[in-house]
Coordinates of all heavy atoms in Angstrom, one line a residue:
P1 N -13.5 4.3 -1.2 CA -14.0 3.7 0.0 C -13.2 2.5 0.4 O -12.6 1.8 -0.5 CB -15.4 3.3 -0.4 CG -15.7 4.1 -1.6 CD -14.4 4.4 -2.3
L2 N -13.1 2.2 1.7 CA -12.3 1.0 2.1 C -13.1 0.1 2.9 O -14.0 0.5 3.7 CB -11.2 1.5 3.1 CG -10.0 2.3 2.5 CD1 -9.1 2.8 3.6 CD2 -9.3 1.5 1.5
E3 N -12.9 -1.2 2.8 CA -13.3 -2.2 3.8 C -12.2 -2.4 4.7 O -11.2 -3.1 4.4 CB -13.7 -3.5 3.1 CG -14.3 -4.5 4.2 CD -14.7 -5.9 3.7 OE1 -14.6 -6.1 2.4 OE2 -15.1 -6.7 4.5
A4 N -12.2 -1.8 5.9 CA -11.1 -1.7 6.8 C -11.1 -2.9 7.7 O -12.2 -3.3 8.2 CB -11.1 -0.4 7.6
L5 N -9.9 -3.5 8.0 CA -9.7 -4.5 8.9 C -8.8 -4.1 10.1 O -7.7 -3.6 9.8 CB -9.1 -5.8 8.3 CG -8.8 -7.0 9.1 CD1 -10.1 -7.6 9.6 CD2 -8.0 -8.0 8.4
F6 N -9.3 -4.2 11.3 CA -8.6 -3.7 12.5 C -8.3 -5.0 13.3 O -9.2 -5.7 13.7 CB -9.4 -2.7 13.2 CG -8.8 -2.3 14.5 CD1 -7.5 -1.9 14.6 CD2 -9.6 -2.2 15.7 CE1 -6.9 -1.5 15.8 CE2 -9.0 -1.8 16.9 CZ -7.7 -1.4 16.9
V7 N -7.0 -5.2 13.6 CA -6.6 -6.4 14.4 C -6.0 -5.8 15.7 O -5.1 -5.0 15.7 CB -5.5 -7.2 13.7 CG1 -5.1 -8.4 14.5 CG2 -6.1 -7.6 12.3
F8 N -6.5 -6.3 16.9 CA -5.9 -5.8 18.1 C -5.9 -6.9 19.2 O -6.7 -7.8 19.2 CB -6.7 -4.6 18.6 CG -8.1 -4.8 18.9 CD1 -8.6 -5.0 20.2 CD2 -9.1 -4.8 17.9 CE1 -10.0 -5.2 20.5 CE2 -10.4 -5.0 18.1 CZ -10.9 -5.2 19.4
P9 N -4.8 -6.9 20.0 CA -4.6 -7.9 21.0 C -5.3 -7.6 22.3 O -5.5 -6.5 22.7 CB -3.1 -7.9 21.2 CG -2.7 -6.4 21.0 CD -3.7 -5.9 20.0
L10 N -5.8 -8.7 23.0 CA -6.4 -8.6 24.3 C -5.7 -9.6 25.3 O -5.1 -10.6 24.8 CB -7.8 -8.9 24.3 CG -8.8 -7.9 23.7 CD1 -10.2 -8.5 23.6 CD2 -8.9 -6.7 24.5
P11 N -5.7 -9.3 26.6 CA -5.2 -10.4 27.5 C -5.9 -11.7 27.3 O -7.1 -11.6 27.0 CB -5.4 -9.8 28.9 CG -5.5 -8.3 28.7 CD -6.1 -8.1 27.3
A12 N -5.2 -12.8 27.4 CA -5.8 -14.1 27.1 C -7.0 -14.4 27.9 O -8.0 -15.1 27.5 CB -4.8 -15.2 27.2
D13 N -7.1 -13.9 29.2 CA -8.2 -14.2 30.1 C -9.1 -13.0 30.2 O -10.0 -13.0 31.1 CB -7.6 -14.5 31.5 CG -6.7 -13.4 32.1 OD1 -6.4 -12.5 31.4 OD2 -6.4 -13.6 33.3
A14 N -9.1 -12.1 29.3 CA -10.0 -10.9 29.3 C -11.4 -11.3 28.8 O -11.5 -12.2 28.0 CB -9.4 -9.8 28.5
A15 N -12.4 -10.6 29.4 CA -13.8 -10.8 28.9 C -14.3 -9.5 28.3 O -14.3 -8.5 29.0 CB -14.7 -11.3 30.0
V16 N -14.6 -9.5 27.0 CA -15.2 -8.3 26.4 C -16.6 -8.1 26.9 O -17.4 -9.0 26.7 CB -15.1 -8.4 24.9 CG1 -15.8 -7.1 24.2 CG2 -13.7 -8.5 24.4
C17 N -17.0 -6.9 27.4 CA -18.3 -6.7 27.9 C -19.1 -5.6 27.2 O -20.3 -5.4 27.4 CB -18.3 -6.5 29.4 SG -17.2 -5.2 30.0
H18 N -18.4 -4.9 26.3 CA -19.1 -3.9 25.5 C -18.2 -3.6 24.3 O -17.0 -3.6 24.3 CB -19.3 -2.5 26.3 CG -19.8 -1.4 25.4 ND1 -21.1 -1.2 25.1 CD2 -19.1 -0.5 24.7 CE1 -21.2 -0.2 24.3 NE2 -20.0 0.3 24.0
F19 N -18.9 -3.5 23.1 CA -18.3 -3.0 21.9 C -19.2 -2.2 21.1 O -20.4 -2.5 20.9 CB -17.8 -4.2 21.1 CG -17.2 -3.8 19.8 CD1 -15.9 -3.3 19.7 CD2 -18.0 -3.7 18.6 CE1 -15.4 -2.9 18.5 CE2 -17.5 -3.3 17.4 CZ -16.2 -2.9 17.4
S20 N -18.8 -1.0 20.6 CA -19.6 -0.2 19.8 C -18.7 0.6 18.8 O -17.5 0.7 19.0 CB -20.4 0.8 20.6 OG -19.5 1.7 21.3
A21 N -19.3 1.0 17.7 CA -18.5 1.8 16.7 C -19.4 2.8 16.1 O -20.7 2.7 16.0 CB -18.1 0.8 15.6
K22 N -18.9 4.0 15.9 CA -19.6 5.1 15.4 C -19.0 5.7 14.1 O -17.8 6.0 14.1 CB -19.7 6.2 16.5 CG -20.7 7.4 16.1 CD -20.9 8.3 17.3 CE -21.9 9.4 17.0 NZ -22.1 10.3 18.1
I23 N -19.8 5.8 13.1 CA -19.4 6.4 11.8 C -20.3 7.6 11.5 O -21.5 7.4 11.4 CB -19.4 5.4 10.6 CG1 -18.3 4.4 10.8 CG2 -19.2 6.2 9.3 CD1 -18.1 3.4 9.6
G24 N -19.7 8.8 11.5 CA -20.6 10.0 11.3 C -21.6 10.0 12.5 O -21.2 10.0 13.7
E25 N -22.9 10.1 12.2 CA -23.9 10.2 13.3 C -24.4 8.8 13.6 O -25.3 8.7 14.5 CB -25.0 11.1 12.8 CG -24.6 12.6 12.6 CD -23.9 13.1 13.9 OE1 -24.5 13.1 14.9 OE2 -22.8 13.7 13.7
Q26 N -24.0 7.8 12.9 CA -24.6 6.5 13.2 C -23.7 5.7 14.1 O -22.5 5.5 14.0 CB -24.7 5.7 11.8 CG -25.3 4.3 12.0 CD -25.4 3.6 10.7 OE1 -24.5 3.7 9.8 NE2 -26.4 2.7 10.5
E27 N -24.4 5.1 15.2 CA -23.6 4.3 16.2 C -24.2 2.9 16.1 O -25.4 2.6 16.1 CB -23.8 4.9 17.6 CG -22.9 4.1 18.6 CD -23.0 4.7 20.0 OE1 -23.9 5.4 20.3 OE2 -22.0 4.5 20.7

């Protein structure tokens, strides 16, 4: 098993309006 770390860039003036993650059947 892993504790995974994901690093990703966004535009400096961007606004995040939704985030979700799904593993198997669980969202």
Side-chain angles (χ1 to χ4, degrees):
L2 290 176
E3 182 183 356
L5 178 68
F6 174 47
V7 182
F8 60 102
L10 286 173
D13 56 353
V16 176
C17 50
H18 171 85
F19 176 80
S20 61
K22 189 171 184 179
I23 290 186
E25 296 304 308
Q26 184 182 28
E27 184 174 27

